[in-house]
Amino acid sequence: MKPDATSILSFINSADKTFVIPVYQRNYSWSAEECGKLFEDLLDSMKTGKRHYFGNIVFYAKETNAWAGYSELILIDGQQRVTTTMLLLAAIRDVEEDENKRTRITNTYLLNRNSDTKERVKLKQIETDRDIYESIINGEFDESSDSNAGRNYKTFKRLIRESGVKTDDILNAINNLEVVALDLKLNENKERTESPQIIFESINATGKPLSTADLLRNYLLLGIDDSEQERYYKDYWLIIEKGIGDANISDFINKYLIMKIGDNVNKNTEYAEFKKYLSKNNIEAIDALKDLAHYAKYYGWIQEPEKAKDFDKKVSLQLEDLRELKTASMAPLLLFLSEKADDDAVIGFNSNELLEALAVLESWAFRARVVGALTSGAFNTITSTSLLNNLKRATEDDYHNQIKFELSNYRTNDIWPNDDDFMEAFKKYNFYKNYNKYVQRKLENAVSNDHHNWRPDSIEHIMPETLSADWKKRLGENYSEIHGEYLHTIGNLTPLNMTDNIINSNDPFSVKLPQYKSSSWKLTRDVYDDFKDTENWGVAEINSRAENLAYKASKIWFGPLQRERQIEADVKKKTDDYRRILAGKLACETIFHIKYTKGENDNGHLIDAKMRIEVINDKPRFIVMAGSRIFPYALEGVKPTFEDKIRKCGWHDEVVLEEDINIFESPSAASCFAVGGSSNGWTWWMNSNGETLDEIVAGDLERSYEE
């Protein structure tokens, strides 16, 4: 293969050649800004005479019959630059008033005089760009139509007119655009001297970087005979693109590979891993293409559950619940299960069993998330490798029962929280931050058959986010701690229409009650029914309602089976005491932060605290570090403590610590000191990636299990 440097005009100016963009290449994607930059380069070339490097063009000649009078050059790379040049030439032609010059541009560069009428256009576009492009070249473009090629063509016409430069001068400048043309010629055995795919992968051209979808599409289709490429493209690849969207293809390939190999696949390595997977298993490109198209259907179900309605409406709704619960890492497992349920050859697993399996996964995932039983990494590992591989090795196809058993009997610890742990965590969880409308909808559907209000417009805080003087008085001297601890918990939240929520604002509880009575949500009407004789709303009322809802939740998101398999290595259950023992690992190497503004608008106080953990005399100390900006005054009505003395028991604009404070024996004590109120330090302290102290320590715990 010998590269030849040549002008872009010399490359396309040939009466016996037609250029073909293969069906597997990406759509034309140059932007108007890129076209503007190209035109600036041309204007610069006119002034200086300098040549501009315009990138590589890689091609090979397709064998054609001698009678055709021309040969087809298949463009492996450079189709974006060639297309842009053709659009610029068409714009020059259509701005030019001299008919002879117009005809010369058309016959020299845009049309092939030796081709028949059908094949006259010198550059054959892929199907999605073909009609617009050919209408431009043939002088039949509808200016009102909208397309990328059409927009760039109109941009070039505008730039030419605004520049006032003669068309001959622009053509001379285009002649200074230099490309390196690489011809993958056939040897005497009619084999290409270089692999088109290897060349394609190694090119470092000036165009946009290739996505996983671009690389994979080329890889699968480039090896297919030219005469068959378009058929396989339409019958399989186009199904994938239309079914899941081009933007989702990389993620689809990632989840597909995890499902196939039963191991994690890092982002941006999908293309290399896919080739490795095909090679290792001796899978032909055509067979891989067919299999991808097959599984794209189920990926579509996961991403857009409405698409599963034709299969089973209940399955569609259950998939929507999982999607709303943000369980994207389950996708490899869901691909496997969906395909099995849709396969008539699998006798023991159909739509009903799939529905049961999805319900198990939802209940387990929600309980584990609320309790904080797993890190995100452990959660992903269980679904995409451990559980999936168990199902793939199974001799029976009752996958729904196996999932329930495996999650209830995980080998190293209890990963599916029981009722007691779940209900206790459910009452305290911040449901305003996470899963707020999902939880309210599921609770509502459990207590009412009236589902007309499918998702709430808004979530009402019964004890409001902003406390009025009346609310503070009724809550008592510890109102700040009560507000911080209970504001976003389930007992204080209820669904409400947006208008009613705005009207209620921070009104007293007695004023809000009539709105609750007339609510379209039974959950909210129950607040009126259960507390209509209550004058105030406080800790007792929130706890009472939370207890009731937690019990209902334990029935909606059901718990595990009774354990049958013994935990390996006599591993202890994760408790706060055990987490303290584990604090000497990764957590001790991490700096944690709490950063937020406490208070309203201009009266708010910026909390910007740092904390580290040290093990002193075999016990962890949670140290709020020097330089931390903490809540600047001691709370009214609270008995002064050593920590409050740091604030000098007065009012300040800010308090920044001058030295480390190492008196705290729990993360919550450290966080309460920093924020000046009640807080759960396990979830408030986070690292720079947004992982909580709880998640990091639980990760230590999970690794200790594996060790």
Side-chain angles (χ1 to χ4, degrees), residues 575-584 620 622 665-667 682 697:
T575 65
D576 280 2
D577 288 339
Y578 198 65
R579 284 192 288 186
R580 290 188 177 93
I581 296 171
L582 268 267
F622 300 85
E665 297 183 359
S666 74
W682 291 105
V697 173

Side-chain angles (χ1 to χ4, degrees), residues 9 22 70 98 104 158 184 265 314 352 414 427 440 450 454 464 610 653 662 665:
L9 288 185
Y70 68 96
D98 187 318
R104 185 165 65 251
R158 175 180 58 79
L184 307 182
V265 175
K314 291 182 179 179
N352 291 330
D414 290 326
K427 289 184 289 185
Q440 299 292 344
D450 185 4
W454 189 238
K610 296 184 294 182
D653 291 333
N662 65 353
E665 297 183 359

Side-chain angles (χ1 to χ4, degrees), residues 418-432:
N418 60 34
D419 284 352
D420 290 341
D421 290 345
F422 172 63
M423 290 172 63
E424 191 63 28
F426 187 84
K427 289 184 289 185
K428 299 177 181 179
Y429 192 79
N430 184 338
F431 280 116
Y432 193 68

Side-chain angles (χ1 to χ4, degrees), residues 3 149 170 182 209 221 228 278 285 354 424 485 522 553 632 638 645 660-662 696 701:
I170 299 176
L182 308 175
L221 291 168
E228 294 289 300
L278 296 193
L354 174 60
E424 191 63 28
E485 184 172 351
K522 189 176 187 306
V638 178
K645 292 179 182 178
D660 292 348
I661 308 298
N662 65 353
I696 291 173
L701 184 62

Side-chain angles (χ1 to χ4, degrees), residues 332-588:
L333 178 61
L334 299 183
L335 284 175
F336 176 86
L337 294 172
S338 298
E339 197 277 338
K340 294 298 183 184
D342 196 33
D343 186 349
D344 293 336
V346 180
I347 306 301
F349 194 73
N350 55 30
S351 61
N352 291 330
E353 283 74 24
L354 174 60
L355 188 64
E356 186 176 339
L358 298 179
V360 169
L361 290 170
E362 181 189 8
S363 291
W364 163 68
F366 184 70
R367 283 194 174 214
R369 294 269 181 82
V370 169
V371 174
L374 295 169
T375 65
S376 57
F379 184 90
N380 296 349
T381 298
I382 290 168
T383 55
S384 61
T385 57
S386 177
L387 188 55
L388 179 61
N389 287 332
N390 279 335
L391 297 183
K392 289 165 70 174
R393 290 192 296 264
T395 56
E396 302 291 335
D397 50 18
D398 61 336
Y399 302 116
H400 52 302
N401 291 326
Q402 294 180 58
I403 290 172
K404 190 181 297 184
F405 178 84
E406 290 296 333
L407 292 175
S408 301
N409 292 272
Y410 195 62
R411 61 189 180 84
T412 57
N413 64 323
D414 290 326
I415 62 170
W416 193 346
N418 60 34
D419 284 352
D420 290 341
D421 290 345
F422 172 63
M423 290 172 63
E424 191 63 28
F426 187 84
K427 289 184 289 185
K428 299 177 181 179
Y429 192 79
N430 184 338
F431 280 116
Y432 193 68
K433 178 182 178 182
N434 296 312
Y435 318 124
N436 55 358
K437 294 185 178 181
Y438 163 82
V439 168
Q440 299 292 344
R441 174 173 61 83
K442 298 285 283 190
L443 287 169
E444 174 72 13
N445 290 347
V447 301
S448 172
N449 293 321
D450 185 4
H451 295 178
H452 70 279
N453 208 352
W454 189 238
R455 282 178 179 78
D457 292 337
S458 65
I459 303 299
E460 158 83 341
H461 290 82
I462 302 174
M463 174 178 60
E465 292 185 89
T466 302
L467 293 179
S468 65
D470 181 71
W471 269 101
K472 292 178 181 179
K473 180 180 178 181
R474 291 176 184 274
L475 288 172
E477 63 180 17
N478 293 331
Y479 69 83
S480 182
E481 288 92 335
I482 294 171
H483 193 250
E485 184 172 351
Y486 292 98
L487 177 65
H488 298 315
T489 60
I490 196 67
N492 192 54
L493 301 175
T494 194
L496 200 65
N497 294 334
M498 181 65 74
T499 302
D500 293 340
N501 198 340
I502 294 172
I503 292 172
N504 277 340
S505 185
N506 60 348
D507 284 340
F509 179 64
S510 59
V511 176
K512 291 185 174 190
L513 270 175
Q515 289 283 7
Y516 299 161
K517 181 180 180 181
S518 60
S519 173
S520 57
W521 288 78
K522 189 176 187 306
L523 276 177
T524 308
R525 295 197 301 271
D526 285 347
V527 176
Y528 175 84
D529 293 338
D530 296 341
F531 300 98
K532 59 188 175 185
D533 297 326
T534 303
E535 184 178 350
N536 295 322
W537 182 262
V539 173
E541 291 74 24
I542 293 173
N543 283 336
S544 174
R545 184 165 184 263
E547 192 75 38
N548 178 268
L549 293 178
Y551 177 77
K552 289 181 170 63
S554 70
K555 306 304 176 186
I556 300 169
W557 296 278
F558 51 85
L561 301 171
Q562 185 173 353
R563 175 175 281 276
E564 297 180 26
R565 179 192 293 157
Q566 185 176 0
I567 293 178
E568 294 180 10
D570 193 30
V571 177
K572 296 181 180 179
K573 181 182 175 182
K574 189 183 85 170
T575 65
D576 280 2
D577 288 339
Y578 198 65
R579 284 192 288 186
R580 290 188 177 93
I581 296 171
L582 268 267
K585 293 197 174 183
L586 178 61
C588 285

Side-chain angles (χ1 to χ4, degrees), residues 604-618:
H605 297 280
L606 175 63
I607 310 296
D608 189 1
K610 296 184 294 182
M611 186 268 288
R612 71 177 189 273
I613 303 171
E614 289 186 8
V615 177
I616 302 174
N617 296 327
D618 295 326

